[in-house]
Amino acid sequence: MDELIDRWHAAAYAAGATDPAGVARAGSRLLAGWREPHRHYHALPHLRAVLAVVDSYAGSARRPELVRLAAWCHDAVYDPRAGGDANERASAELAGELLAGAGLPDPAVTEVRRLVLLTADHAVPADDPDGALLCDADLAILAAPPDRYDRYAAAVRREYAHVPEPAFRAGRGQVLAHLLALPALYRLPALHARWEAPARANLTRELTTLPHP
């Protein structure tokens, strides 16, 4: 875990953090959130996977250090019982508090909050390479081989174990349909070329095989 927290410190200082104690507090708070026991998919492996994509395609971003901070913060709050975009809004709010406390400049804090909010519906504005990189990284799992995708879908179901099966099927179906309706799941050309077709195949397969009453 030292390697992961070192990466947090590096990203925070690259983005202009000036308060070492605040950087340390923010890192500890974020790691505690990602380790919450009710997380089965939205946990540390997901954070690592998102950071890996961001690192690999950092050259496509205008401010990759801010995209890295947004990756850390985008699921900082994750309550499966919350509705709508409540988790994304709460995560953006927490990001603002933590990053301001770490001494980041106000424009950087505002931008990280904006990026976090994009992950609510993954509808990225045109000419937004930073938003594209974050959202593409967040959705990378959709293009995984079918067996890995199925493990992801099962982990999401475990996070929603409190939801009765009929309600879960309806809600999950809406999520899948929304994703399939996006003009593109991946906006960066290299990732679109690699991932768009397998991701749509996975989403379509899950949508058509959701159990019916």
Side-chain angles (χ1 to χ4, degrees):
M1 207 57 62
D2 289 346
E3 170 268 335
L4 196 55
I5 201 65
D6 285 348
R7 294 173 69 183
W8 161 257
H9 281 250
Y13 288 121
T18 58
D19 186 333
V23 172
R25 283 194 300 272
S28 295
R29 169 61 183 84
L30 290 167
L31 278 179
W34 284 99
R35 289 172 170 149
E36 290 169 335
H38 65 271
R39 297 172 182 248
H40 300 285
Y41 171 70
H42 295 87
L44 283 174
H46 174 56
L47 172 61
R48 289 183 182 276
V50 172
L51 289 172
V53 175
V54 172
D55 287 347
S56 295
Y57 293 89
S60 69
R62 295 186 180 116
R63 296 289 304 275
E65 70 279 8
L66 299 186
V67 181
R68 289 187 181 95
L69 294 184
W72 273 90
C73 295
H74 81 286
D75 284 326
V77 177
Y78 185 72
D79 177 5
R81 296 177 184 272
D85 63 354
N87 284 321
E88 290 81 9
R89 288 187 288 105
S91 293
E93 184 69 22
L94 180 61
E97 295 171 7
L98 294 177
L99 297 178
L104 264 78
D106 288 345
V109 175
T110 298
E111 175 64 1
V112 172
R113 285 173 50 89
R114 183 190 75 84
L115 290 169
V116 169
L117 289 171
L118 286 178
T119 64
D121 61 8
H122 300 93
V124 180
D127 191 29
D128 183 7
D130 293 3
L133 177 56
L134 177 65
C135 288
D136 285 6
D138 190 32
L139 296 181
I141 186 62
L142 303 183
D147 58 341
R148 186 173 163 221
Y149 178 93
D150 290 346
R151 290 195 296 273
Y152 143 75
V156 170
R157 182 65 182 104
R158 289 177 66 196
E159 291 178 340
Y160 286 86
H162 61 283
V163 178
E165 189 63 26
F168 178 80
R169 289 198 300 269
R172 182 66 178 169
Q174 289 175 357
V175 169
L176 299 173
H178 166 75
L179 290 169
L180 285 166
L182 290 173
L185 292 165
Y186 304 104
R187 291 83 175 175
L188 298 182
L191 294 179
H192 182 86
R194 288 177 54 197
W195 291 349
E196 189 76 16
R200 288 190 177 276
N202 279 329
L203 291 168
T204 300
R205 180 172 57 84
E206 185 187 357
L207 183 61
T208 57
T209 58
L210 278 175
H212 294 285

